[in-house]
Amino acid sequence: MHPAEHGPTPVSSVATPLLALVFAAGAAVTWLAGNALSKTTDALDARLGLGDELGGILLLAIAGSLPELAITVAAASTGHLDLAAGNLIGGIAVQTMVLVLCDAAVGPERPLTYLVGRLTPVLEGLLVVLVVSGVLMGSLLKPTTAIGGVVSPASVAILVLWLAGIWFINRIRKAPRWTVEMPGSSPGRHKRTDPHPVEPHPFAGVSTARVAALFGLACAATLVAGVLLEVSGNALADRAHVNGAIFGATALAAATALPEISSGLAAVRLGDHALAMGDVFGGNAFQLVLFLLADLVAGEPVLPQAGRLNSWLASLGVMLTAIYCFGVIGRAERCWARLGPDSILAVVVFALGIAGLFVLPP
């Protein structure tokens, strides 16, 4: 649904170049605020031990997905359900492609998946597959199955799957049931709150109160930027006659993936290769939980209106996730043009997947 179907809007009279400038500004703020949010979250987690309990895990996951949360709320509240669904579902494929950039940053001798050295990211990738399966099944349900006429049962199931998966992965991380030997690997820290042997932790010399204040400021800036991206992006898509799902899954998803690019490259620079991959898969799994919030804001189930474009994007996200899970287990040793064979395959599959959006029947 586009603004034209709702009547005149405040952005209807804004010139297209100005809208493009607003969108670019929103993306820039998302990059800067997301970077600050990542560092302050790590600092607060290290000082307060937030990530050790379920409440802390939820808080940290939400903090890392604030751009998607802001866009989801803004789009659902204005009836742009295709844009909300496209950003959440298409964001999985786009954010998985962050691993291509991380792989290039690691090269040219060994691929990222060779250095990961742990199977925990594979479990996190399987959790992505589980919750995406819930999305695909939920998109086939009739709207009449909604709980109270508002919440899709699939949205609730996705939340339950995510919580169960996080509990299981944390249990395995603390008490592994297997021993893995990966000669030549360099997984790095288990989590960002672990002290790095060389680099000081973010904001080491700053008081907790100031870190918390910066965290709050970064949250507010991220939320404002998300609303700007949604409003300007939807108007630009409407004027370019681009389907909302396609725009949400490409340009909008790329803008909201900027913080993941920053944190992923930072993790690789510190030698935290397993952490870089786990962060991407972890964020992808959590953002689908936001469908429950989208239902509540829209006052109707969003998933049944996802359509075949978003089903295609969900399948693309699963394929890309599986490629990197295979890569971690297969451990190819060579790079070509600074990329491992899994990243090269991911680039080809992603390009074909995006091209396929434009030839699907309406």
Side-chain angles (χ1 to χ4, degrees), residues 227-255:
V227 174
L228 290 177
L229 286 171
E230 190 278 331
V231 173
S232 60
N234 192 75
L236 288 171
D238 184 60
R239 295 181 185 185
H241 304 290
V242 176
N243 182 280
I246 294 178
F247 187 84
T250 52
L252 203 53

PDB file of all heavy atoms in Angstrom, residues 227-255:
ATOM      1  N   VAL A 227      12.511   6.432  11.229  1.00  0.00           N
ATOM      2  CA  VAL A 227      11.267   7.054  10.750  1.00  0.00           C
ATOM      3  C   VAL A 227      11.524   7.850   9.473  1.00  0.00           C
ATOM      4  O   VAL A 227      10.739   7.789   8.511  1.00  0.00           O
ATOM      5  CB  VAL A 227      10.669   7.959  11.848  1.00  0.00           C
ATOM      6  CG1 VAL A 227       9.470   8.725  11.304  1.00  0.00           C
ATOM      7  CG2 VAL A 227      10.255   7.130  13.058  1.00  0.00           C
ATOM      8  N   LEU A 228      12.632   8.590   9.437  1.00  0.00           N
ATOM      9  CA  LEU A 228      12.975   9.347   8.229  1.00  0.00           C
ATOM     10  C   LEU A 228      13.182   8.414   7.038  1.00  0.00           C
ATOM     11  O   LEU A 228      12.739   8.714   5.916  1.00  0.00           O
ATOM     12  CB  LEU A 228      14.242  10.166   8.470  1.00  0.00           C
ATOM     13  CG  LEU A 228      14.137  11.357   9.422  1.00  0.00           C
ATOM     14  CD1 LEU A 228      15.495  12.005   9.612  1.00  0.00           C
ATOM     15  CD2 LEU A 228      13.128  12.387   8.900  1.00  0.00           C
ATOM     16  N   LEU A 229      13.843   7.286   7.272  1.00  0.00           N
ATOM     17  CA  LEU A 229      14.066   6.325   6.192  1.00  0.00           C
ATOM     18  C   LEU A 229      12.744   5.764   5.682  1.00  0.00           C
ATOM     19  O   LEU A 229      12.546   5.623   4.467  1.00  0.00           O
ATOM     20  CB  LEU A 229      14.964   5.188   6.686  1.00  0.00           C
ATOM     21  CG  LEU A 229      16.450   5.506   6.866  1.00  0.00           C
ATOM     22  CD1 LEU A 229      17.162   4.363   7.560  1.00  0.00           C
ATOM     23  CD2 LEU A 229      17.109   5.791   5.524  1.00  0.00           C
ATOM     24  N   GLU A 230      11.844   5.453   6.594  1.00  0.00           N
ATOM     25  CA  GLU A 230      10.562   4.871   6.181  1.00  0.00           C
ATOM     26  C   GLU A 230       9.735   5.876   5.392  1.00  0.00           C
ATOM     27  O   GLU A 230       9.200   5.553   4.324  1.00  0.00           O
ATOM     28  CB  GLU A 230       9.785   4.381   7.411  1.00  0.00           C
ATOM     29  CG  GLU A 230       8.567   3.543   7.075  1.00  0.00           C
ATOM     30  CD  GLU A 230       7.336   4.365   6.704  1.00  0.00           C
ATOM     31  OE1 GLU A 230       7.214   5.509   7.197  1.00  0.00           O
ATOM     32  OE2 GLU A 230       6.498   3.870   5.921  1.00  0.00           O
ATOM     33  N   VAL A 231       9.605   7.092   5.910  1.00  0.00           N
ATOM     34  CA  VAL A 231       8.758   8.101   5.262  1.00  0.00           C
ATOM     35  C   VAL A 231       9.321   8.496   3.899  1.00  0.00           C
ATOM     36  O   VAL A 231       8.607   8.479   2.879  1.00  0.00           O
ATOM     37  CB  VAL A 231       8.615   9.346   6.170  1.00  0.00           C
ATOM     38  CG1 VAL A 231       7.886  10.459   5.422  1.00  0.00           C
ATOM     39  CG2 VAL A 231       7.869   8.989   7.451  1.00  0.00           C
ATOM     40  N   SER A 232      10.609   8.840   3.866  1.00  0.00           N
ATOM     41  CA  SER A 232      11.208   9.259   2.597  1.00  0.00           C
ATOM     42  C   SER A 232      11.332   8.084   1.637  1.00  0.00           C
ATOM     43  O   SER A 232      11.103   8.228   0.429  1.00  0.00           O
ATOM     44  CB  SER A 232      12.584   9.883   2.840  1.00  0.00           C
ATOM     45  OG  SER A 232      13.462   8.955   3.461  1.00  0.00           O
ATOM     46  N   GLY A 233      11.684   6.911   2.155  1.00  0.00           N
ATOM     47  CA  GLY A 233      11.835   5.735   1.300  1.00  0.00           C
ATOM     48  C   GLY A 233      10.538   5.311   0.663  1.00  0.00           C
ATOM     49  O   GLY A 233      10.497   4.970  -0.529  1.00  0.00           O
ATOM     50  N   ASN A 234       9.455   5.339   1.432  1.00  0.00           N
ATOM     51  CA  ASN A 234       8.167   4.949   0.871  1.00  0.00           C
ATOM     52  C   ASN A 234       7.713   5.923  -0.214  1.00  0.00           C
ATOM     53  O   ASN A 234       7.175   5.524  -1.244  1.00  0.00           O
ATOM     54  CB  ASN A 234       7.116   4.868   1.975  1.00  0.00           C
ATOM     55  CG  ASN A 234       5.845   4.200   1.506  1.00  0.00           C
ATOM     56  OD1 ASN A 234       5.781   2.983   1.348  1.00  0.00           O
ATOM     57  ND2 ASN A 234       4.816   5.009   1.257  1.00  0.00           N
ATOM     58  N   ALA A 235       7.966   7.219   0.014  1.00  0.00           N
ATOM     59  CA  ALA A 235       7.594   8.217  -0.991  1.00  0.00           C
ATOM     60  C   ALA A 235       8.427   8.048  -2.269  1.00  0.00           C
ATOM     61  O   ALA A 235       7.901   8.140  -3.385  1.00  0.00           O
ATOM     62  CB  ALA A 235       7.780   9.626  -0.421  1.00  0.00           C
ATOM     63  N   LEU A 236       9.731   7.791  -2.100  1.00  0.00           N
ATOM     64  CA  LEU A 236      10.589   7.582  -3.268  1.00  0.00           C
ATOM     65  C   LEU A 236      10.173   6.333  -4.042  1.00  0.00           C
ATOM     66  O   LEU A 236      10.147   6.333  -5.282  1.00  0.00           O
ATOM     67  CB  LEU A 236      12.048   7.452  -2.823  1.00  0.00           C
ATOM     68  CG  LEU A 236      12.726   8.741  -2.334  1.00  0.00           C
ATOM     69  CD1 LEU A 236      14.079   8.429  -1.715  1.00  0.00           C
ATOM     70  CD2 LEU A 236      12.892   9.727  -3.482  1.00  0.00           C
ATOM     71  N   ALA A 237       9.841   5.266  -3.324  1.00  0.00           N
ATOM     72  CA  ALA A 237       9.402   4.042  -3.990  1.00  0.00           C
ATOM     73  C   ALA A 237       8.109   4.266  -4.754  1.00  0.00           C
ATOM     74  O   ALA A 237       7.924   3.776  -5.873  1.00  0.00           O
ATOM     75  CB  ALA A 237       9.222   2.924  -2.962  1.00  0.00           C
ATOM     76  N   ASP A 238       7.212   5.047  -4.160  1.00  0.00           N
ATOM     77  CA  ASP A 238       5.931   5.330  -4.809  1.00  0.00           C
ATOM     78  C   ASP A 238       6.128   6.129  -6.091  1.00  0.00           C
ATOM     79  O   ASP A 238       5.512   5.839  -7.118  1.00  0.00           O
ATOM     80  CB  ASP A 238       5.029   6.088  -3.830  1.00  0.00           C
ATOM     81  CG  ASP A 238       3.641   6.324  -4.393  1.00  0.00           C
ATOM     82  OD1 ASP A 238       2.963   5.324  -4.696  1.00  0.00           O
ATOM     83  OD2 ASP A 238       3.249   7.493  -4.550  1.00  0.00           O
ATOM     84  N   ARG A 239       7.029   7.127  -6.038  1.00  0.00           N
ATOM     85  CA  ARG A 239       7.259   7.962  -7.224  1.00  0.00           C
ATOM     86  C   ARG A 239       7.994   7.205  -8.320  1.00  0.00           C
ATOM     87  O   ARG A 239       7.811   7.488  -9.506  1.00  0.00           O
ATOM     88  CB  ARG A 239       8.051   9.212  -6.830  1.00  0.00           C
ATOM     89  CG  ARG A 239       7.276  10.132  -5.900  1.00  0.00           C
ATOM     90  CD  ARG A 239       8.043  11.383  -5.539  1.00  0.00           C
ATOM     91  NE  ARG A 239       7.314  12.159  -4.553  1.00  0.00           N
ATOM     92  CZ  ARG A 239       7.694  13.357  -4.115  1.00  0.00           C
ATOM     93  NH1 ARG A 239       8.802  13.906  -4.605  1.00  0.00           N
ATOM     94  NH2 ARG A 239       6.980  13.996  -3.211  1.00  0.00           N
ATOM     95  N   ALA A 240       8.831   6.255  -7.915  1.00  0.00           N
ATOM     96  CA  ALA A 240       9.554   5.453  -8.898  1.00  0.00           C
ATOM     97  C   ALA A 240       8.756   4.235  -9.342  1.00  0.00           C
ATOM     98  O   ALA A 240       9.236   3.460 -10.168  1.00  0.00           O
ATOM     99  CB  ALA A 240      10.893   4.998  -8.315  1.00  0.00           C
ATOM    100  N   HIS A 241       7.534   4.096  -8.792  1.00  0.00           N
ATOM    101  CA  HIS A 241       6.656   2.961  -9.105  1.00  0.00           C
ATOM    102  C   HIS A 241       7.350   1.620  -8.817  1.00  0.00           C
ATOM    103  O   HIS A 241       7.238   0.663  -9.583  1.00  0.00           O
ATOM    104  CB  HIS A 241       6.196   3.009 -10.571  1.00  0.00           C
ATOM    105  CG  HIS A 241       5.522   4.297 -10.938  1.00  0.00           C
ATOM    106  ND1 HIS A 241       4.277   4.647 -10.465  1.00  0.00           N
ATOM    107  CD2 HIS A 241       5.938   5.336 -11.722  1.00  0.00           C
ATOM    108  CE1 HIS A 241       3.940   5.845 -10.942  1.00  0.00           C
ATOM    109  NE2 HIS A 241       4.933   6.281 -11.706  1.00  0.00           N
ATOM    110  N   VAL A 242       8.061   1.607  -7.679  1.00  0.00           N
ATOM    111  CA  VAL A 242       8.726   0.385  -7.225  1.00  0.00           C
ATOM    112  C   VAL A 242       7.872  -0.250  -6.141  1.00  0.00           C
ATOM    113  O   VAL A 242       7.405   0.444  -5.233  1.00  0.00           O
ATOM    114  CB  VAL A 242      10.140   0.684  -6.678  1.00  0.00           C
ATOM    115  CG1 VAL A 242      10.786  -0.585  -6.120  1.00  0.00           C
ATOM    116  CG2 VAL A 242      11.009   1.273  -7.773  1.00  0.00           C
ATOM    117  N   ASN A 243       7.679  -1.559  -6.236  1.00  0.00           N
ATOM    118  CA  ASN A 243       6.902  -2.271  -5.232  1.00  0.00           C
ATOM    119  C   ASN A 243       7.507  -2.054  -3.850  1.00  0.00           C
ATOM    120  O   ASN A 243       8.720  -2.087  -3.675  1.00  0.00           O
ATOM    121  CB  ASN A 243       6.885  -3.767  -5.575  1.00  0.00           C
ATOM    122  CG  ASN A 243       6.043  -4.577  -4.604  1.00  0.00           C
ATOM    123  OD1 ASN A 243       6.492  -4.898  -3.515  1.00  0.00           O
ATOM    124  ND2 ASN A 243       4.835  -4.902  -5.018  1.00  0.00           N
ATOM    125  N   GLY A 244       6.631  -1.837  -2.851  1.00  0.00           N
ATOM    126  CA  GLY A 244       7.107  -1.580  -1.497  1.00  0.00           C
ATOM    127  C   GLY A 244       7.941  -2.707  -0.933  1.00  0.00           C
ATOM    128  O   GLY A 244       8.929  -2.477  -0.223  1.00  0.00           O
ATOM    129  N   ALA A 245       7.573  -3.950  -1.246  1.00  0.00           N
ATOM    130  CA  ALA A 245       8.336  -5.101  -0.755  1.00  0.00           C
ATOM    131  C   ALA A 245       9.739  -5.110  -1.350  1.00  0.00           C
ATOM    132  O   ALA A 245      10.718  -5.390  -0.651  1.00  0.00           O
ATOM    133  CB  ALA A 245       7.605  -6.395  -1.097  1.00  0.00           C
ATOM    134  N   ILE A 246       9.844  -4.784  -2.642  1.00  0.00           N
ATOM    135  CA  ILE A 246      11.156  -4.770  -3.296  1.00  0.00           C
ATOM    136  C   ILE A 246      12.021  -3.653  -2.727  1.00  0.00           C
ATOM    137  O   ILE A 246      13.196  -3.844  -2.420  1.00  0.00           O
ATOM    138  CB  ILE A 246      11.001  -4.612  -4.815  1.00  0.00           C
ATOM    139  CG1 ILE A 246      10.316  -5.854  -5.410  1.00  0.00           C
ATOM    140  CG2 ILE A 246      12.352  -4.387  -5.475  1.00  0.00           C
ATOM    141  CD1 ILE A 246      10.071  -5.764  -6.899  1.00  0.00           C
ATOM    142  N   PHE A 247      11.432  -2.472  -2.544  1.00  0.00           N
ATOM    143  CA  PHE A 247      12.212  -1.352  -1.998  1.00  0.00           C
ATOM    144  C   PHE A 247      12.638  -1.648  -0.562  1.00  0.00           C
ATOM    145  O   PHE A 247      13.779  -1.384  -0.174  1.00  0.00           O
ATOM    146  CB  PHE A 247      11.382  -0.064  -2.035  1.00  0.00           C
ATOM    147  CG  PHE A 247      12.169   1.155  -1.641  1.00  0.00           C
ATOM    148  CD1 PHE A 247      12.954   1.820  -2.564  1.00  0.00           C
ATOM    149  CD2 PHE A 247      12.131   1.628  -0.342  1.00  0.00           C
ATOM    150  CE1 PHE A 247      13.691   2.936  -2.210  1.00  0.00           C
ATOM    151  CE2 PHE A 247      12.869   2.746   0.037  1.00  0.00           C
ATOM    152  CZ  PHE A 247      13.646   3.393  -0.905  1.00  0.00           C
ATOM    153  N   GLY A 248      11.718  -2.216   0.223  1.00  0.00           N
ATOM    154  CA  GLY A 248      12.051  -2.542   1.604  1.00  0.00           C
ATOM    155  C   GLY A 248      13.148  -3.575   1.701  1.00  0.00           C
ATOM    156  O   GLY A 248      13.970  -3.552   2.617  1.00  0.00           O
ATOM    157  N   ALA A 249      13.174  -4.505   0.736  1.00  0.00           N
ATOM    158  CA  ALA A 249      14.146  -5.595   0.773  1.00  0.00           C
ATOM    159  C   ALA A 249      15.490  -5.207   0.180  1.00  0.00           C
ATOM    160  O   ALA A 249      16.466  -5.948   0.360  1.00  0.00           O
ATOM    161  CB  ALA A 249      13.594  -6.796   0.006  1.00  0.00           C
ATOM    162  N   THR A 250      15.572  -4.088  -0.501  1.00  0.00           N
ATOM    163  CA  THR A 250      16.824  -3.709  -1.157  1.00  0.00           C
ATOM    164  C   THR A 250      17.388  -2.422  -0.538  1.00  0.00           C
ATOM    165  O   THR A 250      18.241  -2.481   0.344  1.00  0.00           O
ATOM    166  CB  THR A 250      16.608  -3.539  -2.663  1.00  0.00           C
ATOM    167  OG1 THR A 250      15.494  -2.653  -2.902  1.00  0.00           O
ATOM    168  CG2 THR A 250      16.290  -4.882  -3.316  1.00  0.00           C
ATOM    169  N   ALA A 251      16.919  -1.273  -0.985  1.00  0.00           N
ATOM    170  CA  ALA A 251      17.487  -0.005  -0.537  1.00  0.00           C
ATOM    171  C   ALA A 251      17.302   0.200   0.965  1.00  0.00           C
ATOM    172  O   ALA A 251      18.237   0.590   1.675  1.00  0.00           O
ATOM    173  CB  ALA A 251      16.840   1.150  -1.305  1.00  0.00           C
ATOM    174  N   LEU A 252      16.089  -0.066   1.461  1.00  0.00           N
ATOM    175  CA  LEU A 252      15.817   0.153   2.880  1.00  0.00           C
ATOM    176  C   LEU A 252      16.590  -0.836   3.746  1.00  0.00           C
ATOM    177  O   LEU A 252      17.151  -0.470   4.784  1.00  0.00           O
ATOM    178  CB  LEU A 252      14.317   0.033   3.140  1.00  0.00           C
ATOM    179  CG  LEU A 252      13.760   0.731   4.379  1.00  0.00           C
ATOM    180  CD1 LEU A 252      14.166   2.194   4.399  1.00  0.00           C
ATOM    181  CD2 LEU A 252      12.244   0.601   4.419  1.00  0.00           C
ATOM    182  N   ALA A 253      16.618  -2.092   3.323  1.00  0.00           N
ATOM    183  CA  ALA A 253      17.358  -3.110   4.075  1.00  0.00           C
ATOM    184  C   ALA A 253      18.851  -2.812   4.072  1.00  0.00           C
ATOM    185  O   ALA A 253      19.548  -3.031   5.069  1.00  0.00           O
ATOM    186  CB  ALA A 253      17.095  -4.494   3.496  1.00  0.00           C
ATOM    187  N   ALA A 254      19.369  -2.299   2.947  1.00  0.00           N
ATOM    188  CA  ALA A 254      20.792  -1.950   2.878  1.00  0.00           C
ATOM    189  C   ALA A 254      21.115  -0.805   3.834  1.00  0.00           C
ATOM    190  O   ALA A 254      22.168  -0.804   4.486  1.00  0.00           O
ATOM    191  CB  ALA A 254      21.162  -1.569   1.450  1.00  0.00           C
ATOM    192  N   ALA A 255      20.208   0.172   3.937  1.00  0.00           N
ATOM    193  CA  ALA A 255      20.437   1.294   4.848  1.00  0.00           C
ATOM    194  C   ALA A 255      20.459   0.832   6.301  1.00  0.00           C
ATOM    195  O   ALA A 255      21.312   1.262   7.094  1.00  0.00           O
ATOM    196  CB  ALA A 255      19.355   2.360   4.644  1.00  0.00           C
TER     197      ALA A 255
END
